Amino acid sequence: MDREKVIEIDDRLQHIAFIMDGNGRWANRRGMPRELGHKKGVEVFTDITEYCHKIGIKYITVYAFSTENWKRPQKEVESIMKLLDEYLDKSASEDACVRFIGDSSRLDPALAEKIRLMEEKTRNGTRVLNVALNYGSRAEIVNAFNKLAAAGKREITEQDICSALYTCGCPDPDLIVRTGGDLRISNFLLWQAAYSELYFTDTLWPDMTSKDVDLAIEDFYSRKRRFGGLDKK
Ligand code: FPP
């Protein structure tokens, strides 16, 4: 990943979220089982998150497993969970504060415990890596409202909702990158994406490189973000 020119970023780009799509197709095209696509996907996830941290991105969120992904064949689900388990074993030296966002109640208790330990161990990391696992944005919003209702809130503000989401404390993503060619958000960060810039690429996740990240970032900086206002004169 070391290239001579390192792209420069500033405070306008603090948080990038990735929808890591295309592992299955990447494997199919090589006549390999889908599981090997996910394996390669994890290697690329490590490279890309390290690269983003290196260039100064403070917050990264990745969509690792959605609430709908349980519908996949059991063998594939198991392989993704195993990869996560291996990641939790290996990444003890991760210097980012790793947070898992999503509903952990359906996870294997041993995996959930490893997650808890990693979150505890990396608590003081200088940057943030959110891993969305068993995550669905509508469920997250419903969960947030239920939390507020349980706390007796009657007049709910936007700030109350932000604070009750899994992403509490994280700024909204400035840029959401989806690989794999589909042009949709797939129940990812629906509330948080209100003003995010969206970047879609046909590149399959396992083919994603730091150069592709640079292209997405350059595209981000070419856009005018007005947040509903007008251009500054
Ligand atoms: C989408 O590709 C990818 C997933 C549903 C799983 C992504 C998971 C990983 C990369 C592993 C995550 C692990 C860590 C440690 C974060 P797809 O299978 O939908 O691809 P397709 O659209 O080509 O079928």
Side-chain angles (χ1 to χ4, degrees):
M1 284 268 157
D2 279 333
R3 286 186 282 106
E4 268 177 27
K5 181 179 159 284
V6 173
I7 196 159
E8 283 187 21
I9 62 139
D10 59 26
D11 277 354
R12 285 176 290 170
L13 182 56
Q14 302 203 37
H15 185 174
I16 306 185
F18 291 97
I19 302 178
M20 309 182 287
D21 199 9
N23 295 345
R25 276 165 288 163
W26 182 89
N28 283 344
R29 284 176 195 176
R30 288 163 177 76
M32 300 185 327
R34 294 176 57 83
E35 290 71 23
L36 289 184
H38 295 312
K39 187 165 185 283
K40 176 73 179 166
V42 176
E43 288 167 25
V44 170
F45 152 79
T46 306
D47 287 349
I48 297 289
T49 50
E50 277 177 5
Y51 178 68
C52 287
H53 283 156
K54 188 177 103 182
I55 61 176
I57 303 294
K58 296 191 185 86
Y59 300 85
I60 300 169
T61 302
V62 295
Y63 206 176
F65 193 86
S66 75
T67 44
E68 287 71 37
N69 286 151
W70 297 106
K71 293 182 208 152
R72 294 186 178 210
Q74 197 185 345
K75 186 167 162 259
E76 183 171 343
V77 170
E78 281 172 6
S79 79
I80 295 175
M81 292 301 155
K82 186 160 175 278
L83 287 167
L84 276 157
D85 194 73
E86 287 167 4
Y87 164 72
L88 289 162
D89 284 340
K90 272 196 281 204
S91 299
S93 63
E94 178 73 66
D95 83 335
C97 164
V98 185
R99 294 182 189 149
F100 283 77
I101 60 171
D103 176 7
S104 58
S105 67
R106 194 173 166 183
L107 301 177
D108 175 80
L111 185 71
E113 177 58 11
K114 280 191 188 181
I115 285 173
R116 197 190 62 74
L117 288 174
M118 173 169 269
E119 287 181 334
E120 198 177 277
K121 208 171 344 181
T122 62
R123 204 175 39 199
N124 297 321
T126 44
R127 305 178 203 281
V128 171
L129 170 59
N130 294 315
V131 179
L133 179 62
N134 195 23
Y135 175 89
S137 186
R138 286 185 174 180
E140 177 188 31
I141 294 168
V142 169
N143 179 58
F145 274 90
N146 282 328
K147 268 202 240 171
L148 296 171
K153 276 266 173 199
R154 294 176 66 84
E155 289 253 329
I156 293 173
T157 64
E158 288 193 10
Q159 191 47 52
D160 290 330
I161 296 172
C162 291
S163 307
L165 293 173
Y166 297 131
T167 49
C168 166
C170 253
D172 289 340
D174 302 295
L175 172 64
I176 299 182
V177 174
R178 180 176 189 140
T179 62
D182 283 329
L183 307 180
R184 55 177 170 263
I185 287 292
S186 298
N187 202 14
F188 186 50
L189 304 177
L190 299 179
W191 174 276
Q192 298 88 335
Y195 286 102
S196 303
E197 296 297 328
L198 306 180
Y199 180 86
F200 298 99
T201 169
D202 288 336
T203 303
L204 303 176
W205 178 256
D207 288 326
M208 192 75 178
T209 64
S210 58
K211 182 80 196 103
D212 297 307
V213 174
D214 286 358
L215 289 176
I217 291 176
E218 278 161 16
D219 195 76
F220 170 84
Y221 278 117
S222 75
R223 300 187 195 182
K224 283 194 174 136
R225 302 186 82 196
R226 291 183 289 273
F227 299 96
L230 299 177
D231 282 338
K232 287 194 185 109
K233 292 252 167 77

